[in-house]
Amino acid sequence: MSLLENKIGIVFGVANKRSIAWAIAQAWKKAGATLAFTYQGDRLKENVEELAGTFGPDTLILPCDVTKDDDINRVFTEVGAKFGRLDLALHSVAFAPKDALEGEFVNTSREAFRVAHDVSAYSLVAIARAAAPLMTQGGSIVAMTYYGAEKVVPHYNVMGVAKAALEASTRYLAYDLGPKRIRVNCISAGPVNTLAARGISGFSEMLKHYEAHAPLKRNVLPEELGATGTFLASDGAAAITGQVIYVDGGYQIMGM
Ligand code: NAP
């Protein structure tokens, strides 16, 4: 039997074929899961339909701006109506205004700080709250984070602060939802060349830096994030919750 046979999952954050969410969705699908996808707006509708359409007729594809509670509630109502329950949720969504990802953190505006935290951190709380009633047989919620949450990575700025909030939220959610056998974990990925990553000033330098300094002397591959996402979704991770798992070629252990 495949690892995720008979599991129903929902994936937030596919923008295109380079998206980390797409790598994890493919791995979940390959392991036997049936999936629903959300996209933010009409701009991405076609992309997501083209990619997720290859997953077969059972695939649900729904619009959802994660800053809107009505959108989130509608998505989970539709998932409940179609599948009757839910086992897995992937949060792979982040945003900060571009000017907040350049220059100095000290200049972050109140509005950029608010938006970054709303989209990138609070949305996990809102999604977990809406998902939990459908996770009647337990569940696994996985969110994507980055090392800039715990150490200063130049230019990552307010996104690092939002990721710190995301990681702390993961721990509090794990505590609240543990008695319902719902696990909540983060994957902290090394840099991957995606649409969101290209918004970070100096991103290509970051890729080179990891290649030079990570113990494995290379960058992480999207399919490796897919494999970790599948592990966290599977019963193999049944006793793992509230954790941040580094999938970064070992970069996080380095002091110099
Ligand atoms: P991506 O393909 O651009 O995915 C980011 C997704 O977030 C997009 O689908 C984007 O949609 C969506 N999003 C933004 N605002 C939203 C909103 N209000 N409502 C719904 N969706 C919204 O980039 P990615 O690199 O795969 O990012 C996925 C996750 O991995 C993020 O949490 C990111 O911080 C994290 N991560 C990335 C890296 C990396 O190096 N790439 C490393 C560690 C962690 P739009 O395109 O419409 O904005």
Side-chain angles (χ1 to χ4, degrees), residues 88-244:
L88 315 173
L90 175 66
H91 177 285
S92 188
V93 167
F95 177 79
K98 190 160 171 44
D99 58 359
L101 300 174
E102 301 164 343
E104 296 182 336
F105 172 70
V106 70
N107 291 325
T108 307
S109 68
R110 190 181 297 273
E111 182 58 8
F113 192 97
R114 186 195 66 75
V115 169
H117 282 72
D118 191 7
V119 178
S120 317
Y122 180 74
S123 57
L124 177 67
V125 182
I127 286 169
R129 187 168 58 242
L134 289 174
M135 293 183 160
T136 50
Q137 300 172 16
S140 174
I141 299 174
V142 178
M144 295 307 304
T145 188
Y146 178 62
Y147 184 57
E150 63 172 272
K151 295 282 187 218
V152 173
V153 175
H155 308 301
Y156 202 62
N157 293 1
V158 72
M159 190 52 82
V161 181
K163 290 299 191 193
L166 179 79
E167 292 180 11
S169 300
T170 297
R171 291 186 281 273
Y172 280 91
L173 289 168
Y175 174 71
D176 281 355
L177 300 178
K180 298 185 167 118
R181 289 194 303 124
I182 299 170
R183 300 181 291 106
V184 191
N185 292 289
C186 280
I187 296 175
S188 185
V192 179
N193 195 358
T194 63
L195 207 59
R198 271 176 262 143
I200 302 160
S201 158
F203 177 73
S204 48
E205 293 311 309
M206 213 188 253
L207 285 173
K208 286 187 203 141
H209 184 81
Y210 271 68
E211 225 171 81
H213 297 286
L216 293 180
K217 301 290 175 223
R218 64 173 180 85
N219 279 293
V220 63
L221 301 171
E223 53 269 33
E224 293 170 330
L225 299 172
T228 306
T230 303
F231 166 66
L232 284 175
S234 75
D235 290 345
I240 299 176
T241 195
Q243 300 300 314
V244 176

Side-chain angles (χ1 to χ4, degrees), residues 13 19-20 40 43-44 65-66 92 144-145 163 189 191-192 194 196:
S19 296
I20 291 172
Q40 186 187 181
R43 190 170 51 83
L44 291 181
D65 178 341
V66 299
S92 188
M144 295 307 304
T145 188
K163 290 299 191 193
V192 179
T194 63

